[in-house]
Amino acid sequence: MRSLVIVVALCPALLLAQDIILVENPCRPFEISLKCDSKQGCFCQPGNLRFGAICISESTCKPEPSQQQCNSNEVSLNCGNSPECFCRSGYVRYNDQCYERSNCTRTL
């Protein structure tokens, strides 16, 4: 009977701990939670680039001229089948815009 009381008493604590873990890490692998200007969200960690919905290592991409014109804080890289515009080193992408990483603060 005592062991049942201990298990029942620990269950709420385990559920609370599980919720805390989920709240502390809302981002995918290779992402961190940042606030850049007024935008808060999951940004790629240093050394990674936003490629669609995921972050990939900068080392998997090669500089290559693109047919499209990149913005001043972007560079043309081939990380797959064709070159695309990616944020330059020191910048992070959020909703199709590059933000200077030094202006961002970690939120979690």
Side-chain angles (χ1 to χ4, degrees):
M1 183 63 121
R2 286 185 190 191
S3 60
L4 179 60
V5 172
I6 292 171
V7 171
V8 171
L10 288 177
C11 284
L14 292 174
L15 291 173
L16 180 61
Q18 187 178 23
D19 288 342
I20 290 170
I21 291 169
L22 293 175
V23 169
E24 287 181 4
N25 190 11
C27 301
R28 296 181 186 123
F30 307 109
E31 293 180 335
I32 54 175
S33 181
L34 296 175
K35 183 173 183 181
C36 300
D37 293 333
S38 62
K39 310 296 184 205
Q40 183 171 334
C42 295
F43 292 82
C44 294
Q45 293 176 353
N48 293 278
L49 299 166
R50 174 75 55 202
F51 189 66
I54 62 169
C55 297
I56 60 170
S57 174
E58 288 180 2
S59 64
T60 62
C61 304
K62 305 291 182 235
E64 188 175 315
S66 173
Q67 297 296 329
Q68 68 186 57
Q69 184 69 28
C70 295
N71 294 326
S72 62
N73 54 2
E74 294 177 321
V75 63
S76 179
L77 299 172
N78 189 340
C79 301
N81 296 329
S82 62
E84 296 180 39
C85 296
F86 290 88
C87 294
R88 292 186 178 278
S89 183
Y91 287 80
V92 292
R93 183 171 301 282
Y94 185 77
N95 286 343
D96 214 28
Q97 189 173 353
C98 296
Y99 294 91
E100 194 170 355
R101 186 179 291 277
S102 63
N103 293 334
C104 302
T105 55
R106 194 155 185 174
T107 57
L108 291 177

